Amino acid sequence: MKILHCADLHLDSKMTANLDKEKAKERKAEILTTFVRMVEYAKEHKIEAVLIAGDLFDTATVSATAGKAVYQAIVNHPDITFYYLKGNHDAKGFMDNPEEIPENLKMFGRDWKSYETGTENTIVITGVELDKENIRSVYHALSLDVTKFNIVMLHGQENTYQAKDKAECVALNELRNKGIDYLALGHV
């Protein structure tokens, strides 16, 4: 099974910190086009799963242009399953309505969620969106079947130990000996 892992695309970023308004607009369009091209690359190379490990977007509200482009890229490629774990920059309202979510888009939440895939469901993709409320219990709640190939998705700053009140920190020591075969991180 071929998998493409990406993160921190920051679609819809204002980009005005270092660019004038016109250049920022141009760069925003380039990044959105790059996302669509990435999905086309996945199709051409028969990639079955695209892992988006957070910060697909960069703003609290997604523009109609970016939202529609992402939605169409997903809907137009039903042979690819998209696994989308929201990051600290992602818009809270994007794809929150269950009726809007395409069948090939799998999402995560504040509790661990797992999806089985691959031949005879031998690959398990598990993820959780970290926040200040779940950061203390999330690592102890992770339970994986070591007979499967386990991919774990998280979005946060890599850290050796669990940091106090830092929801965006991924405590690598807390993930040791959990049966993780591939750690798909974002924000690193």
Side-chain angles (χ1 to χ4, degrees):
M1 176 177 183
K2 290 183 179 181
I3 296 172
L4 189 150
H5 168 204
C6 65
D8 298 280
L9 301 173
H10 291 275
L11 302 177
D12 255 6
S13 175
K14 291 187 182 5
M15 301 214 184
T16 53
N18 296 311
L19 301 172
D20 64 46
K21 193 174 180 178
E22 198 56 41
K23 285 284 185 194
K25 183 179 176 182
E26 183 180 320
R27 184 70 182 126
K28 275 174 67 169
E30 288 172 352
I31 293 172
L32 187 56
T33 300
T34 300
F35 173 80
V36 173
R37 287 179 46 220
M38 178 190 73
V39 175
E40 286 299 320
Y41 174 91
K43 176 186 173 190
E44 290 167 18
H45 290 86
K46 297 180 176 33
I47 291 171
E48 296 173 47
V50 173
L51 311 180
I52 304 169
D55 288 353
L56 175 60
F57 297 101
D58 192 59
T59 58
T61 5
V62 177
S63 71
T65 301
K68 184 176 180 182
V70 170
Y71 183 82
Q72 287 302 317
I74 293 168
V75 170
N76 292 340
H77 296 88
D79 294 342
I80 301 171
T81 304
F82 295 82
Y83 297 87
Y84 174 36
L85 182 125
K86 291 182 180 180
N88 57 310
H89 286 271
D90 280 307
K92 300 302 177 214
F94 183 74
M95 295 287 184
D96 283 345
N97 182 355
E99 289 83 41
E100 293 175 352
I101 300 173
E103 276 193 44
N104 62 327
L105 176 61
K106 308 301 180 194
M107 296 179 67
F108 302 90
R110 296 184 61 249
D111 297 311
W112 289 108
K113 181 145 178 106
S114 296
Y115 297 98
E116 292 187 347
T117 187
T119 308
E120 298 179 24
N121 291 328
T122 55
I123 299 170
V124 180
I125 300 171
T126 302
V128 65
E129 294 170 1
L130 300 174
D131 63 28
K132 288 180 178 161
E133 283 78 39
N134 70 4
I135 194 68
R136 295 262 184 238
S137 62
V138 76
Y139 298 106
H140 301 293
L142 178 61
S143 179
L144 301 171
D145 180 349
V146 296
T147 65
K148 308 270 181 154
F149 187 89
N150 292 296
I151 298 171
V152 172
M153 293 178 65
L154 292 166
H155 183 87
Q157 187 61 44
E158 181 183 338
N159 202 348
T160 305
Y161 299 97
Q162 187 172 332
K164 292 181 181 174
D165 300 326
K166 289 274 193 166
E168 67 280 353
C169 284
V170 175
L172 296 178
N173 283 351
E174 298 285 340
L175 297 170
R176 292 196 196 292
N177 303 316
K178 295 275 190 179
I180 299 170
D181 297 292
Y182 181 78
L183 189 55
L185 296 177
H187 190 83
V188 177

